[in-house]
């Protein structure tokens, strides 16, 4: 709940959302200035609406049902709204109110003629990706070297090691999401993304089922792997790299990428972010280093995409407020269709923090709760899933007895040593620890 003073939900609703909304107003202002005629007029109206929404959030106003903008999910949001009962911004379930916030913003765009597909986070996403240049180059070089080796004979053990490495890269790619880390300097961003930082972070993986995920992949020849994406830019680049590795090595025949269908939680991937990524990689003014290696990687990506081996498939389910417990036979809001789809996959990999919150119902589980309990019906619904999540919110499950206390103490020590002591609970949303739980779907 946003009213829980000990939670990150509390800080999010009061400090982060107003900053995010201000960022949207700035972006809209820039685009409005570059526009004329009806589009500029609509831009001004949008700026006013977002400004008014920010005022409501900051003054803890009551939430009202979504206006009908003609899209299929309004009824779903509003029936969930009824179910929750009266809510204000400062006193609402965090998951529902945060999804509602982004959905409301998308609704504003739907009332216009010229802004329907506008992404107010596109500039930010691209700028952050550009500032990842060093890590982008480092990984492109690594990928090209490995591709050469993959064409020779590679043992199962070597493939297993590489699998672990690419998973690791994709996991820590999630540490750089823009909704949290907007103030990072270039140096800080690069030090988060480099190989050395990843190696040092290995001890911070609190739940590590990577070998179970490996078994799920290796036990079926070829087949399909699904990536339920999270953030655009550098994280998406690491996910694409992982997809290329799966296809190059024959560990999968196809990889299905699942982006969001509307601007979501600032930095999430939209379908258009694949061409945006391909263009950015192709531009020698954006990425000046390791050109040969980046071109090589880009060509592989374009080729697999054209051959239908990398497929992009978007579902409105990912932007409802519903927990992933709905990914089941009688699931609501598109959950049934997603269930039917993912059952065909040999592994569904869910990236990031929000996906983990939705897997676990964003509930206040005791931290020693088994993951397969916290994901409810998903644990028995035939979908093999693997979550790659750096911890950036309150919910964390699957810890061993005593671990939580140890982490709380560690976080007090770390923050005190920096002269800014924080509550021990902050470890869970610092982004410094991670979990990688697996479920076979057959518990
Ligand atoms: O914790 C802050 C937050 O914005 C959460 O609201 C959300 O779960 C998360 O960050 C987004 O992170 P990710 O991009 O990893 O899902
Ligand atoms: Mg995200």
């Amino acid at each position: 709940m946003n009213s829980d003073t000990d939670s990150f939900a509390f800080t999010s609703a009061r400090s982060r959302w107003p900053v995010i909304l201000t960022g949207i107003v700035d972006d809209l202002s820039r685009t409005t200035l570059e526009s004329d005629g009806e589009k500029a007029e609509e831009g001004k109206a949008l700026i006013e609406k977002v400004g008014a929404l920010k005022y409501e959030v900051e003054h803890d106003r009551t939430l009202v049902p979504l206006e009908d903008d003609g899209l299929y999910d309004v009824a779903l949001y509003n029936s969930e709204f009824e179910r929750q009962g009266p809510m204000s911004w400062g006193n609402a379930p965090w998951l529902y109110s945060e999804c509602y916030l982004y959905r409301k913003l998308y609704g504003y765009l739907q009332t216009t003629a010229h802004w329907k597909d506008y992404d107010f986070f596109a500039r930010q996403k691209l700028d952050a990706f550009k500032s990842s240049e060093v890590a982008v180059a480092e990984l492109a070089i690594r990928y090209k070297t490995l591709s050469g080796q993959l064409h020779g004979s590679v043992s199962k053990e070597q493939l297993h090691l590489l699998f672990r490495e690419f998973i690791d890269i994709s996991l820590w790619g999630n540490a750089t999401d823009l909704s949290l880390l907007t103030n990072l300097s270039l140096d800080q961003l690069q030090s988060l993304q480099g190989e050395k930082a990843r190696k040092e972070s290995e001890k911070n993986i609190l739940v590590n089922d990577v070998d179970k995920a490996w078994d799920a992949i290796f036990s079926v020849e070829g087949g399909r792997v699904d990536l339920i994406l999270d953030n655009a830019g550098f994280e998406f680049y690491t996910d694409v790299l992982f997809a290329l590795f799966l296809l190059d090595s024959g560990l999968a025949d196809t990889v299905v990428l699942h982006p969001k269908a509307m601007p979501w939680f600032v930095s999430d991937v939209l379908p258009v972010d694949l061409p945006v990524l391909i263009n950015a990689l192709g531009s020698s003014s954006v990425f000046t280093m390791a050109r040969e290696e980046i071109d090589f990687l880009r060509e592989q990506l374009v080729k697999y995409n054209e051959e239908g081996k990398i497929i992009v498939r978007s579902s409105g389910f990912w932007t409802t407020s519903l927990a992933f417990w709905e990914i089941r036979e009688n699931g609501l809001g598109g959950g049934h269709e997603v269930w039917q789809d993912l059952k065909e996959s040999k592994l569904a990999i869910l990236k990031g923090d929000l996906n983990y919150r939705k897997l676990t119902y964003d509930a206040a589980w005791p931290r020693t709760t088994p993951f397969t309990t916290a994901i409810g019906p998903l644990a028995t619904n035939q979908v093999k899933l693997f979550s790659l999540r750096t911890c950036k919110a309150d919910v964390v499950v699957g810890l061993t007895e005593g671990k939580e206390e140890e982490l709380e103490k560690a976080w007090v020590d770390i923050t005190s040593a920096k002269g800014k002591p924080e509550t021990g609970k902050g470890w869970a949303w610092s982004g410094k620890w991670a979990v990688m739980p697996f479920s076979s779907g057959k518990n």
Side-chain angles (χ1 to χ4, degrees), residues 310-362:
I310 291 186
I311 297 168
V312 175
R313 189 177 300 158
S314 170
S315 157
F317 175 71
W318 307 116
T319 49
T320 67
S321 64
L322 299 169
F324 293 167
W325 288 31
E326 296 298 337
I327 303 177
R328 59 189 160 91
E329 183 146 25
N330 302 319
L332 298 173
H336 166 76
E337 288 75 11
V338 166
W339 173 71
Q340 276 187 316
D341 187 23
L342 295 185
K343 268 194 314 161
E344 304 306 317
S345 178
K346 64 178 179 176
L347 190 66
I349 301 180
L350 295 105
K351 293 292 318 282
D353 189 77
L354 177 64
N355 282 330
Y356 184 89
R357 286 171 62 195
K358 286 190 163 187
L359 281 167
T360 55
Y361 226 108
D362 208 28

Side-chain angles (χ1 to χ4, degrees), residues 8 12 16-17 20 94 98 102 174 177-180 230-231 235 265 267-268 351-357 389-390 392-394 429:
F8 190 54
S12 276
R16 288 183 35 254
W17 294 350
I20 289 169
W94 186 25
E98 200 165 27
Y102 290 95
N174 180 246
D177 101 89
L178 295 179
S179 70
L180 266 182
D230 186 5
N231 302 310
E235 179 173 359
F265 284 69
S267 35
D268 281 26
K351 293 292 318 282
D353 189 77
L354 177 64
N355 282 330
Y356 184 89
R357 286 171 62 195
R389 182 246 189 163
T390 58
K392 294 184 272 185
D394 301 279
W429 55 80

Side-chain angles (χ1 to χ4, degrees), residues 272-328:
V272 71
D273 287 321
L274 181 60
V276 168
L277 178 88
I278 292 173
N279 282 340
L281 292 176
S283 159
S284 47
S285 57
V286 175
F287 295 113
T288 52
M289 301 148 84
R291 275 315 319 167
E292 193 194 325
E293 290 82 357
I294 291 179
D295 283 338
F296 174 77
L297 183 154
R298 180 179 180 274
E299 275 158 29
Q300 290 290 96
L301 169 60
V302 170
K303 178 177 77 103
Y304 284 137
N305 189 217
E306 283 171 359
E307 290 172 354
K309 293 186 173 173
I310 291 186
I311 297 168
V312 175
R313 189 177 300 158
S314 170
S315 157
F317 175 71
W318 307 116
T319 49
T320 67
S321 64
L322 299 169
F324 293 167
W325 288 31
E326 296 298 337
I327 303 177
R328 59 189 160 91

